[in-house]
Amino acid sequence: MSDASGATSGVTAMGRFLANLREIPKTFRESLVRGGAPTTDRTRSSFVFGNVFLHLHAVRTHRWSLRWSTTAGLGIMSVAAFLITLITGVLLMFYYKPYPDAAYVSIKDLHFVVPTGRFIRNIHRWAANVMVVAVLLHMARVFFTGAYRKPREFNWLVGMGLLAITLGLSFTGYLLPWDQLAYWAITIGANIAQSPREVTDALKITEYFDPGGLQRLLLLGSSDVGEEALIRFFLLHVMILPLALVALLGVHMWRVRKDGGIARPDDADARLGPPPADTYPVFTEAPQKTYQIAAIVKGKTPAVGKGPENTVPSMPHLFYAEMGVFMLTVLICTALALVSDAPLKELANPNVPENPAKAPWYFLGLQELVAYSAFMGGIGIPSIVLLGLGLIPYLDREKEGTGLWFGGPGGVPLVLLSTVYGFGTAFALEAFAIRFGWIREWWPDVPQLVITAINPGTVLTALYAGFSIWAVKRWGSTRAGALALFTCFLCGFILLTVVGQHFRGPNWVFYWSPSEWPGH
Amino acid sequence: MTTTSKSSRLDPEPMPRRDFLGLAAMWAMGASAAFALLGILRLPRAAVLPAPSKKFKVALPESLADGEPFVPPGRSVALFKDKDGVYAVSTICTHLGCIVKQSADGFACPCHGSEFHKDGTVKKGPAPTALPWLAVTKDGGSFVVDESKVVDPGTRLT
Ligand code: HEM
Ligand code: FES
């Protein structure tokens, strides 16, 4: 319809105005969805790559990626849990006041007075926990399927950044209620940041070189845990970390697409068998488009004349799967929120520590190590683990087993062996230290540096490293070493977390069960 | 690659001017961004620490026995009196900052099980150093403890 012709053809301006008014629902829909309703494979494709959110996905998805056992939906579950925390978090901000004591009262109000406040707070808490679990499991899935290998090395690093931010978000959030749990967790956390002093003090150089003191100062903005610290953690929790997470998440998803979709074995097509009859082959519609795209997309040339590819349109197949995972995550979080309340202890009291003062569960493994050496448990060993994780894709340049669970030299038997070794050594060391104590109990005058260097945490790390080197030699493969190391650390993490969560009571003393704790 | 001695230039393959300008612009941009970042990071590093005064006045109870700790309410300091004088030991654990509690023969930390003798030295656990001794001065009939001033262990106010 051209507007210039309207004036000459006798239709009044008013008539055109009314006609346009009537047309608004239709014209608005057309402006929203370019190219009309997506009803054919072709229009659905253009819908996917024309939409700013959907175009993070490829237009077509390989059938291998859609198998439940390929990803277990864990990446999407992490995204879903994050979105849930985002929405519930904004709701909590309506009432939360980031000021000591006022913070505590506002959370109490949210919990007891605000309509649906407790439910929203519970969902926020649970979604944060679900997110940590999902991210850890997602990382394990990427590792065990060898999906970090070329060309996905960089995305593995992006993922590690996401893991760090996820843990940072959970930890900063833990502090906001300003109750006893929060106050003592932030005190311990800030002092862990300061723990490089354990080494600099022993070397007597703290006066000149004090990275620990600087870290603590930046975190707390003061010499004490107080209003400055709370506002900083609040800022990190609601602003800096979420923004950083969203930015990195965008890169992460985009790279998944640009690295050729989810990793799959070379013979994925043979393993899957022929596509089901209702799958539309790629090149039956608008082949000319494919040739145009081929000019700008690098990689193998399109499989013209090779018969149908084993891919299906992302819309709707992938989107249904994602929606399913999303709904499941919402279900899990709301169900947990209904049966279990987020904790709120007494108002923070700087003179009486919570006893035992426990960190959030995913840090209890570290707390267990911190109880041997603050620096090694809180900074040294985590740095070693992060460095090791980051190096994995650059050291393992092999091809065998990519895209298959526990693929590569060693395979399932090695993973089982590593599980036994990982749990066994961690268990033996813990049992030994709990039963017989550690160096200072035997020789009270031993220098601190000796304890920093030799404690159950570092011994365990060394045992794991030794085992992994053995695996490299035994199977003649870096992947075997990586499988051994990752499995061991995973088992150590689980065992230490369980010990910290369940078997440690007041004064961090070992108890078989919390019911044996002495009464307060 | 062999450099020809014919050329009098130092650079055998001169860089096109446009590349040079482009690179220079990029490095200048990078350097100013780095500089700006340093300035940005300077802000969160507080210069004045908004903390309450660390000095407080306290009177020892008459009945305090020699070598028995006295912890003023709301403070994380233990005061002792013995035949040589009065001294104060911090009760903030040197491990990760929990407040230690009095135990049978010294102090015990509830957080990760560090134990200290009465003079602050480490008996057991992860604490890397002894509990510090704090400066005590006299003001009339009572004592003033300065929590921000650490003194050598053994220093007593006589
Ligand atoms: C906030 C945390 C994270 C989110 C939301 C996230 C999300 C995703 C999603 C949606 C995918 C698509 C495949 C799938 O669902 O498995 C993916 C793939 C991937 N992720 Fe993550 N991820 C996170 C953290 C991590 C971490 C901690 C790592 C490892 C250090 C990692 C490494 C990777 C890699 C290498 C891929 C490609 C896998 C393949 O091609 O098979 N991600 N991620
Ligand atoms: S804070 Fe006292 S033992 Fe850890």
Side-chain angles (χ1 to χ4, degrees):
Chain A
M1 225 192 290
S2 82
D3 36 4
S5 63
T8 48
S9 63
V11 182
T12 64
M14 206 53 203
R16 269 181 292 126
F17 172 76
L18 289 175
N20 287 350
L21 200 61
R22 268 195 308 276
E23 294 270 280
I24 278 184
K26 182 165 163 277
T27 47
F28 174 73
R29 220 178 322 118
E30 281 168 6
S31 71
L32 179 72
V33 184
R34 286 172 298 242
T39 45
T40 65
D41 273 0
R42 184 168 164 208
T43 47
R44 280 198 283 259
S45 298
S46 64
F47 187 70
V48 172
F49 62 66
N51 178 292
V52 64
F53 299 109
L54 296 182
H55 91 292
L56 283 175
H57 304 85
V59 165
R60 293 182 71 90
T61 306
H62 199 277
R63 278 174 58 225
W64 186 269
S65 309
L66 287 174
R67 296 189 335 159
W68 186 87
S69 60
T70 303
T71 64
L74 289 165
I76 292 301
M77 184 174 265
S78 314
V79 178
F82 175 62
L83 290 179
I84 296 171
T85 56
L86 210 61
I87 293 166
T88 49
V90 169
L91 287 171
L92 292 175
M93 282 180 74
F94 276 84
Y95 290 97
Y96 180 76
K97 302 176 190 70
Y99 200 78
D101 299 7
Y104 181 74
V105 175
S106 64
I107 297 281
K108 223 172 169 176
D109 281 350
L110 269 164
H111 202 95
F112 294 107
V113 183
V114 174
T116 75
R118 181 187 311 197
F119 187 48
I120 296 293
R121 174 166 184 248
N122 290 350
I123 298 179
H124 192 72
R125 216 14 115 107
W126 277 114
N129 280 310
V130 166
M131 184 171 167
V132 172
V133 175
V135 170
L136 288 175
L137 290 179
H138 167 63
M139 178 163 98
R141 147 3 233 170
V142 171
F143 175 81
F144 283 121
T145 55
Y148 54 80
R149 286 171 173 167
K150 196 175 177 217
R152 298 179 176 82
E153 306 100 317
F154 185 72
N155 215 14
W156 171 261
L157 292 186
V158 174
M160 284 181 53
L162 287 170
L163 173 69
I165 297 177
T166 305
L167 293 178
L169 271 169
S170 289
F171 185 64
T172 49
Y174 200 71
L175 307 168
L176 298 184
W178 208 251
D179 61 348
Q180 276 286 70
L181 274 182
Y183 184 88
W184 291 100
I186 184 175
T187 303
I188 292 180
N191 284 323
I192 286 180
Q194 195 184 39
S195 67
R197 279 204 184 160
E198 188 179 312
V199 178
T200 52
D201 274 348
L203 298 173
K204 300 203 173 18
I205 53 168
T206 307
E207 222 181 303
Y208 317 104
F209 177 68
D210 185 17
L214 179 65
Q215 287 191 79
R216 183 187 146 101
L217 181 63
L218 283 180
L219 213 52
L220 297 187
S222 160
S223 54
D224 297 307
V225 176
E227 58 193 61
E228 297 294 325
L230 180 53
I231 204 84
R232 277 175 193 222
F233 278 90
F234 178 68
L235 181 65
L236 280 170
H237 187 74
V238 305
M239 203 62 194
I240 299 177
L241 294 178
L243 282 181
L245 190 102
V246 169
L248 268 191
L249 199 56
V251 177
H252 196 63
M253 313 289 280
W254 183 245
R255 290 287 298 220
V256 171
R257 187 190 153 174
K258 287 285 134 180
D259 292 339
I262 305 297
R264 58 177 177 272
D266 284 339
D267 56 351
D269 291 335
R271 283 168 186 268
L272 284 171
D278 61 343
T279 309
Y280 234 64
V282 192
F283 295 122
T284 50
E285 292 174 340
Q288 69 278 22
K289 277 273 184 241
T290 312
Y291 291 113
Q292 282 172 16
I293 288 173
I296 49 168
V297 176
K298 72 173 165 51
K300 293 174 193 139
T301 45
V304 181
K306 260 198 351 195
E309 266 183 22
N310 239 329
T311 60
V312 291
S314 297
M315 184 173 183
H317 298 273
L318 177 60
F319 298 164
Y320 280 159
E322 292 185 346
M323 268 153 57
V325 174
F326 200 100
M327 296 294 284
L328 181 70
T329 315
V330 173
L331 181 76
I332 292 174
C333 294
T334 43
L336 286 168
L338 283 174
V339 297
S340 163
D341 277 351
L344 186 64
K345 296 266 174 148
E346 302 83 33
L347 176 65
N349 178 351
N351 289 307
V352 184
E354 202 40 29
N355 191 4
K358 291 198 179 185
W361 63 266
Y362 38 84
F363 283 141
L364 283 180
L366 288 183
Q367 193 170 349
E368 187 62 25
L369 296 182
V370 158
Y372 298 114
S373 155
F375 173 69
M376 271 304 162
I379 295 190
I381 294 174
S383 308
I384 294 173
V385 170
L386 284 183
L387 185 73
L389 282 177
L391 285 178
I392 285 178
Y394 297 95
L395 295 178
D396 169 13
R397 312 298 289 176
E398 293 162 23
K399 295 252 154 36
E400 185 191 335
T402 300
L404 297 175
W405 278 89
F406 314 112
V412 177
L414 171 57
V415 171
L416 287 179
L417 182 65
S418 312
T419 309
V420 173
Y421 181 85
F423 275 125
T425 45
F427 180 83
L429 266 171
E430 279 284 289
F432 177 85
I434 287 167
R435 177 73 184 77
F436 300 108
W438 201 253
I439 302 178
R440 184 171 279 129
E441 275 106 301
W442 314 327
W443 302 289
D445 294 326
V446 79
Q448 177 59 35
L449 276 184
V450 174
I451 298 178
T452 304
I454 305 175
N455 61 61
T458 53
V459 172
L460 192 63
T461 310
L463 284 174
Y464 287 169
F467 179 69
S468 154
I469 291 170
W470 171 80
V472 172
K473 290 197 180 134
R474 162 74 177 72
W475 277 275
S477 143
T478 315
R479 166 71 171 169
L483 273 177
L485 199 61
F486 190 90
T487 314
C488 279
F489 271 113
L490 201 61
C491 297
F493 173 79
I494 294 172
L495 188 115
L496 291 176
T497 306
V498 170
V499 172
Q501 173 75 33
H502 189 76
F503 294 104
R504 292 293 188 176
N507 296 0
W508 213 245
V509 170
F510 179 87
Y511 291 95
W512 281 109
S513 131
S515 62
E516 293 173 11
W517 293 5
H520 302 286
Chain B
M1 261 196 281
T2 52
T3 43
T4 48
S5 50
K6 255 194 265 170
S7 160
S8 59
R9 295 183 64 108
L10 285 176
D11 48 343
E13 284 167 37
M15 179 189 275
R17 183 173 307 162
R18 202 188 310 187
D19 285 6
F20 173 77
L21 287 177
L23 274 178
M26 260 171 54
W27 279 105
M29 166 82 190
S32 20
F35 194 69
L37 197 68
L38 274 183
I40 288 171
L41 286 179
R42 185 64 193 82
L43 181 139
R45 191 183 158 189
V48 179
L49 302 185
S53 167
K54 296 263 177 181
K55 262 189 185 168
F56 66 92
K57 206 171 187 177
V58 58
L60 291 185
E62 294 290 329
S63 58
L64 187 66
D66 276 7
E68 276 309 303
F70 169 66
V71 178
R75 298 286 170 183
S76 35
V77 174
L79 285 125
F80 293 87
K81 166 169 87 78
D82 63 14
K83 59 182 189 324
D84 297 326
V86 173
Y87 59 97
V89 177
S90 161
T91 56
I92 301 176
C93 182
T94 54
H95 180 228
L96 292 174
C98 291
I99 308 296
V100 298
K101 285 185 310 192
Q102 211 174 313
S103 66
D105 53 349
F107 301 101
C109 181
C111 288
H112 315 97
S114 285
E115 286 175 23
F116 303 87
H117 297 287
K118 269 188 183 155
D119 62 356
T121 47
V122 187
K123 179 157 64 175
K124 173 173 177 284
T129 54
L131 297 172
W133 287 40
L134 304 171
V136 188
T137 48
K138 206 161 171 116
D139 179 13
S142 45
F143 299 93
V144 176
V145 181
D146 187 349
E147 284 184 78
S148 59
K149 205 155 150 202
V150 174
V151 296
D152 288 333
T155 314
R156 287 172 171 80
L157 180 77
T158 45

